[in-house]
Amino acid sequence: MHAFDVLGDPVRRRILDLLADGERPAGSVVDVVAGEFGITQPAVSRHLRILREHGFATVRADGARRIYALERTGLDEAGAQLERYRRLWPQRLDALHTEIARGVRARRKDA
């Protein structure tokens, strides 16, 4: 699965948002995500497994609990893939700025 396929799912993005604030027990992740998305514990567990398998999350045992944390590997991979497009952004933003300025001038002229 491609990094953007992993990030394309809103449930997985929400889990990553939760983990960005620090480690969380699996039960805590399930409580939040199941409540917000109306999905079952097994469904949340599948999303957590996908995040682990693709380098976005780690898990460690703490007695009977499983503690999840954000892993940089997947995020670094996604960032590297985006990097190739970032060089195009300034041109596009400059073009957008020009179009906005034209619209402002046209409205002033019509007023």
Side-chain angles (χ1 to χ4, degrees), residues 18-54:
L18 294 171
L19 298 179
D21 292 333
E23 291 185 331
R24 292 190 85 128
S28 170
V29 173
V30 168
D31 289 345
V32 172
V33 173
E36 289 179 8
F37 290 91
I39 60 177
T40 63
Q41 180 274 327
V44 177
S45 293
R46 280 192 295 277
H47 286 291
L48 285 166
R49 183 186 43 136
I50 290 168
L51 290 170
R52 278 192 332 266
E53 289 174 352
H54 296 284

Side-chain angles (χ1 to χ4, degrees), residues 11-89:
V11 172
R12 290 191 286 268
R13 285 195 311 270
R14 179 62 175 128
I15 292 170
L16 291 174
D17 287 343
L18 294 171
L19 298 179
D21 292 333
E23 291 185 331
R24 292 190 85 128
S28 170
V29 173
V30 168
D31 289 345
V32 172
V33 173
E36 289 179 8
F37 290 91
I39 60 177
T40 63
Q41 180 274 327
V44 177
S45 293
R46 280 192 295 277
H47 286 291
L48 285 166
R49 183 186 43 136
I50 290 168
L51 290 170
R52 278 192 332 266
E53 289 174 352
H54 296 284
F56 287 89
T58 60
V59 64
R60 67 177 173 82
D62 181 26
R65 298 185 327 158
R66 298 292 173 254
I67 309 296
Y68 281 84
L70 199 60
E71 170 65 42
R72 294 190 48 114
T73 305
L75 297 171
D76 289 344
E77 178 187 331
Q81 290 171 359
L82 274 177
E83 192 59 41
R84 111 180 228 215
Y85 300 104
R86 282 190 182 124
R87 62 182 170 78
L88 302 174
W89 294 351

